[in-house]
Amino acid sequence: MHTAEEALELIEEHRPEIILTDILLPEMSGLDMLEAVKSADYRPKVLVISGYSNFMYAQRSIKLGAVDYILKPVQEEELAEKIRAVYQLMESERKNQEQIRSQTAYARLGTEALKEKFVQGLCLQKTPLQEHIHHRLQVWNLEWLETQSYVVVSLSLGREDARGTQDKDINLDLFAIGNIAEETLKNFQPSVMVRSIHHDWVILTAWEPELAAAQAIYDQVLRYQKISPALGISERKYAFQAISEAYEESRQALKLALLDRDRGIASYADLTGRIGPEQVGSLSEWVAEAVLEGDEEASKRWLDEAIHRFMLDRGVNKTADLSIKCFEWILEVHSSLAERVEADIGHLPMELWEKAERCPAVEDLKRSLLDHLHELMKLASGPRPSGQANYIIDKAKRIIDEKYGEPLTLQSVADELSIHPVWLSRLFKKETGQNFLDYLTEVRIEQAKRCCAARTSKSTKSPKKSGTRKSSTSASSSRNGPT
């Protein structure tokens, strides 16, 4: 190497950690050369050799990063010792930097652990917005929870069969979908994601619409991990104190998404049923009524409602649990039908249970049960022998014939038959061609006619007897009169 330019080319190519240079070089000084290679991302250790003891040279050398200023003449051993000292200095600095990085990483992990624990606490217990909570929100950049509306999203593996795999594999999959979700959420801010106490993930986000964020996570996990995840979304909340309520809603929605494989993403709004909790016990009765009436639409509607309710049951966590619940409920339907019709439908075929057990998804279970209800319709409401009346309507007519003089109503007769009055009204019209009230009025009129006819007959006979007595008296008077 003869010139400063050649030295610059080598330095730019190899970026050495230690540079040894003389102040006097051809074309430019060694100090000018150092100034040319100096940058924010490249700060080598420099040893400057000079035949000048000029303070200005030494001062400029130090500013350019020189760790030593060596005056000529210099011995080879002395120079080697200087270089070894610089190398040891560099090693010491490297160790210090590694310790600092390690401590920073541990500090970051500790901060993240505290943040995770804090968010978990907000999810598990209703927390008022007190001053110390406000400060923590600021520390972790979560103050948007105070000022913006938000939803809570629970994220888990969507594969029901994952429960049967190794815990290590499940944890790896959960870790993987967590990384993908966290990366995806960078496009849907403000958001925060932490591990939940159930060992899956919980997301709090102010992004609107929240379904877009959930769908993006679902699509990315499916794309990169080949796993169909399950996500449950709470209703949107407008108060900080509602985080725990939103979390519980997201868990319930997640359960729906886990049970229904075709769904993937479920919202708490999807859990709203058509009936109130106090009416759930009547579902088997309503399905029995629909079966007897041959109403496929009604039977499907009430079956959907029953399955929907069972999915929310705390003891139902997978499709097999749901199958057991539905099988027990169908037994109730059979029992209700057996009380109302003179047909052998009390027995529940075991093949239905075996088929239900094999159903991989909720929709498969619904189809299987709906097919069974259709078979019950054919058995209970199929063609009857000529002249044979419907068992329910025949019984209703007997009640009317026996109690027509009492204040009978459609409701009171339905209660006695243990059926719904609306269904009784429809069935009555279908079987008799007239509505319940018209039939009751007709029976009462006929009975009134009979009573009237009986009274008329009785009063007609009474005058004849009176006339006979009168005639006898007259005859007697005639006989006893003067001659």
Side-chain angles (χ1 to χ4, degrees), residues 157-184:
L157 295 175
R159 302 172 305 168
E160 186 177 283
D161 57 350
R163 298 173 188 273
T165 61
Q166 295 291 328
D167 288 344
K168 181 177 71 173
D169 297 333
I170 295 173
N171 287 331
L172 284 174
D173 285 342
L174 282 170
F175 180 76
I177 69 172
N179 283 343
I180 295 170
E182 192 167 30
E183 188 65 28
T184 305

Side-chain angles (χ1 to χ4, degrees), residues 7 49 162 197 229 269 462:
I49 301 175
I197 60 166
S462 295

Side-chain angles (χ1 to χ4, degrees), residues 101-126:
R101 280 195 295 268
S102 176
Q103 289 171 357
T104 302
Y106 281 127
R108 189 182 300 112
L109 286 173
T111 301
E112 288 299 315
L114 289 173
K115 178 181 177 181
E116 183 173 279
K117 190 173 181 180
F118 173 69
V119 175
Q120 286 176 351
L122 297 179
C123 291
L124 296 177
Q125 186 175 357
K126 185 175 181 179

Side-chain angles (χ1 to χ4, degrees), residues 357-376:
E357 273 193 319
R358 292 194 299 269
C359 289
V362 175
E363 284 304 316
D364 300 315
L365 181 60
K366 283 183 182 179
R367 281 193 292 271
S368 178
L369 295 176
L370 196 58
D371 290 344
H372 181 67
L373 292 178
H374 184 69
E375 292 299 317
L376 289 179

Side-chain angles (χ1 to χ4, degrees), residues 1-9 21-34 36 60:
M1 184 191 314
H2 299 91
T3 67
E5 286 185 357
E6 292 176 348
L8 279 173
E9 289 177 2
T21 183
D22 200 316
I23 285 183
L24 291 178
L25 294 174
E27 299 178 359
M28 71 169 68
S29 72
L31 298 182
D32 290 336
M33 180 194 71
L34 291 177
R60 188 180 173 199

